Amino acid sequence: MIRIPVHADGRGSLAVAELGGVLPFPARRAYWIYGVPAGASRGAHAHRKLSQFIVCVAGSARVTLSDGRTREGVVLRSPAEGLLVAPMMWEEITEMTADCVLMVLADAEYDEADYIRDHGQFLRDAGA
Ligand code: TYD
């Protein structure tokens, strides 16, 4: 989890994720997930090379990460913090509230070949 600097004043708050400050990589792609129906889950895959930075800009969601040996979940509920997801981490997103918006910054363009969508394959590739 990375704390994001916030500039707050009487007009509200502005949070900044800048390369070298909060962001450990140059973002080459941004996407956001929203409008997820109650009980639906997202993710359930890993990336071979991609690094991602996930910010819950509204609502809340649980993100569970596993390296094949250890599995840990965190609830994202603040636009002032981001979760860094390294390559070769199995990622599951659950418990998204109706108002949840997850913004994701990624260090590469979309490439389906970078995904591992089969959990057994992930465990084999992770050497777990
Ligand atoms: P998917 O990886 O299944 O979403 P999630 O990780 O939230 O479970 O992606 C959903 C669809 O969107 C799938 O058809 C691939 C497409 N997609 C893109 O075209 N570009 C992107 O940058 C991303 C993340 C997904």
Side-chain angles (χ1 to χ4, degrees):
M1 292 293 292
I2 297 178
R3 195 88 210 140
I4 300 174
V6 175
H7 302 266
D9 58 31
R11 300 167 299 159
S13 300
L14 185 155
V16 189
E18 194 170 27
L19 179 63
V22 159
L23 263 188
F25 54 74
R28 295 183 64 89
R29 175 165 53 112
Y31 64 93
W32 36 102
I33 299 168
Y34 58 96
V36 174
S41 59
R42 311 272 327 189
H45 53 63
H47 289 278
R48 296 184 187 282
K49 294 191 182 142
L50 191 73
S51 292
Q52 303 197 89
F53 186 70
I54 306 177
V55 181
C56 185
V57 293
S60 69
R62 178 180 295 277
V63 182
T64 305
L65 298 177
S66 167
D67 63 2
R69 293 185 178 85
T70 307
R71 192 164 175 268
E72 203 173 317
V74 62
V75 175
L76 302 183
R77 58 164 61 92
S78 169
E81 59 190 16
L83 179 66
L84 189 60
V85 181
M88 289 306 286
M89 297 292 281
W90 189 263
E91 172 197 319
E92 292 162 329
I93 303 172
T94 54
E95 299 171 31
M96 287 182 81
T97 54
D99 60 344
C100 182
V101 182
L102 287 181
M103 182 189 71
V104 185
L105 303 177
D107 71 349
E109 292 82 354
Y110 176 74
D111 176 13
E112 184 59 37
D114 185 64
Y115 279 73
I116 305 173
R117 294 190 183 272
D118 181 82
H119 194 246
Q121 183 68 49
F122 167 72
L123 293 176
R124 284 192 292 280
D125 291 355

